[in-house]
Amino acid sequence: MIDIIKQIQDANPALGTTIIVLRSDSRALADPATLTPEAKAWLDAKAPDARLSQETVLLAPYPGATPTERTVTVVAFSDARHLAAFATAWTGDPTLDDDEAA
């Protein structure tokens, strides 16, 4: 993942250094270029300066394989605390409510 971040920062320095690359199956994404309404509302309320971007990187599907171009979805933050809060809220597995767990 560090290699991906470095490629993105080199290709688009305007994103800054506080970025997160979302997996394609992220709960925060409605599709690769759009946040879900809930994730968008969360960012608007808690990190209004965050920016969503799609960037192209070279990724190998496994170690030693030839890298190929792939488009990834990135959220850039101006504050590392916002990134950490977003990652906690939107990239982990959702927790079950007490009623669902029973």
Side-chain angles (χ1 to χ4, degrees), residues 3-99:
D3 293 342
I4 297 169
I5 298 293
K6 181 74 172 130
Q7 282 186 60
I8 292 167
Q9 290 172 331
D10 289 347
N12 188 350
L15 291 174
T17 59
T18 311
I19 62 175
I20 186 169
V21 177
L22 298 177
R23 291 174 28 150
S24 59
D25 63 350
S26 170
R27 292 184 295 112
L29 294 175
D31 61 58
T34 311
L35 293 168
T36 63
E38 297 83 8
K40 175 79 172 108
W42 190 99
L43 283 174
D44 289 346
K46 299 184 183 205
D49 61 343
R51 295 184 300 143
L52 185 69
S53 176
Q54 287 197 294
E55 304 294 328
T56 301
V57 295
L58 288 175
L59 293 177
Y62 54 89
T66 303
T68 58
E69 278 193 353
R70 183 169 155 199
T71 300
V72 295
T73 305
V74 177
V75 182
F77 298 86
S78 63
D79 187 316
R81 293 172 294 180
H82 295 160
L83 183 152
F86 180 83
T88 300
W90 290 99
T91 65
D93 291 331
T95 56
L96 297 176
D97 291 337
D98 289 339
D99 293 340

